[in-house]
Amino acid sequence: MTAWIRVVTLVGILASLVACSGPEAEVARQDSAQGHYDIGLGALADNNLSKAISEFKLAVEENPSNARHQHGLGNAYLRNNQIDEAIAALRRAGELEPRLSDAFNDLGAAYMRKQMWDPAIEAFRRALANPNYLNPERAYLNLGNIYFIRGQFDRAAEEFRRLLDLFPQSADGHFFLGRTLLAQGKLAEAREHIEQAIKLDGTVAAFHLDLGIVLLRSGQRAEARESFRRALDLNPAGPEAEAARRNLRELN
């Protein structure tokens, strides 16, 4: 009798293990992974990066083939300045879902942090290769800025113009095109685009600083002084503040 009971018990355990490994278990695993992913998104929105990374890692452990979970982890690593970890997760996201353009854009941003310009350009091109990409503005801005950093001003201007063809009301697009034209010495066109950026968003100190530089180089000293003062008023402790103060001292 005892032996029979043991056999029945063992059969019951085996049947239970088979049930736990079936379709219901897979659904439960995916639901758990999605739950961790959703918590990670909330933590990311609250800028709780350590919590976000922890939750996204759990999501990836439970469902490693989900590209969005990998992207969430990579984005959190990127925001936490863990660049190598970000690159690994974002590359995996792109391998799992080649049309996940936001992952490629973040991958390009990670490469930019390491000044790996060519891989960054490739990543941004991959983002833009998807005709259904909802945020191409970011990729064009990043591409243009890489070319600007490299001193390839014609190519930078080309990317910013492509951006403005799609998003003519992009304040950043007008500003960065204006900054590129300023670097090329095309003062009249630079002024046009920077002033348009200010019309679209007059709260950015950098816009007023660069307009002041354009005006100063154009010989309009009084107008330049006003732009530098406006830049200082908007952000007296920001990165543009010292440049604005230096230009104001030279004007006095």
Side-chain angles (χ1 to χ4, degrees):
M1 176 67 76
T2 303
W4 183 82
I5 291 173
R6 286 176 181 169
V7 170
V8 171
T9 302
L10 180 60
V11 170
I13 292 171
L14 290 173
S16 144
L17 290 172
V18 169
C20 289
S21 63
E24 291 182 1
E26 176 62 20
V27 170
R29 183 180 64 81
Q30 291 192 18
D31 286 347
S32 177
Q34 185 64 38
H36 287 299
Y37 175 71
D38 291 340
I39 294 170
L41 288 178
L44 202 61
D46 292 336
N47 204 36
N48 187 345
L49 299 180
S50 61
K51 175 69 171 176
I53 289 169
S54 175
E55 293 295 333
F56 287 138
K57 285 175 72 175
L58 290 170
V60 166
E61 286 171 8
E62 294 200 19
N63 193 358
S65 63
N66 188 302
R68 294 193 180 278
H69 296 180
Q70 295 279 0
H71 177 215
L73 179 59
N75 183 268
Y77 277 138
L78 179 61
R79 290 176 57 173
N80 203 42
N81 208 35
Q82 294 176 251
I83 306 305
D84 290 334
E85 293 88 344
I87 288 172
L90 294 166
R91 287 182 64 179
R92 182 59 180 151
E95 290 167 0
L96 290 167
E97 178 48 75
R99 294 173 69 84
L100 190 55
S101 293
D102 281 334
F104 284 109
N105 190 73
D106 285 345
L107 178 59
Y111 282 130
M112 283 183 75
R113 297 271 190 93
K114 295 179 70 98
Q115 298 185 17
M116 298 172 65
W117 307 124
D118 289 335
I121 288 170
E122 180 182 355
F124 294 133
R125 295 290 183 208
R126 289 287 300 275
L128 291 168
N130 178 6
N132 297 318
Y133 183 26
L134 297 178
N135 301 303
E137 179 180 8
R138 297 170 58 205
Y140 280 121
L141 284 172
N142 286 324
L143 275 173
N145 278 311
I146 288 177
Y147 289 127
F148 184 91
I149 290 167
R150 295 172 76 166
Q152 297 173 266
F153 299 128
D154 286 341
R155 297 199 68 176
E158 182 179 333
E159 299 301 336
F160 296 134
R161 291 187 194 280
R162 286 175 178 168
L163 162 61
L164 289 172
D165 285 343
L166 294 172
F167 301 98
Q169 299 303 303
S170 168
D172 285 338
H174 283 288
F175 169 68
F176 284 111
L177 177 55
R179 173 172 281 186
T180 302
L181 294 165
L182 172 59
Q184 293 177 299
K186 300 177 180 179
L187 299 182
E189 194 178 358
R191 177 176 179 175
E192 175 186 339
H193 283 284
I194 296 173
E195 286 182 336
Q196 182 61 27
I198 291 170
K199 286 179 183 177
L200 292 165
D201 185 355
T203 66
V204 182
F207 294 4
H208 294 275
L209 175 65
D210 277 29
L211 178 60
I213 293 170
V214 170
L215 293 167
L216 183 60
R217 292 186 184 178
S218 302
Q220 297 172 270
R221 295 170 64 85
E223 294 88 341
R225 184 180 291 107
E226 187 60 32
S227 290
F228 294 138
R229 286 175 177 162
R230 181 60 177 152
L232 272 177
D233 288 342
L234 285 168
N235 197 353
E240 299 83 14
E242 181 53 38
R245 290 190 182 95
R246 184 175 62 252
N247 280 292
L248 283 170
R249 285 195 297 268
E250 291 175 1
L251 282 166
N252 290 332

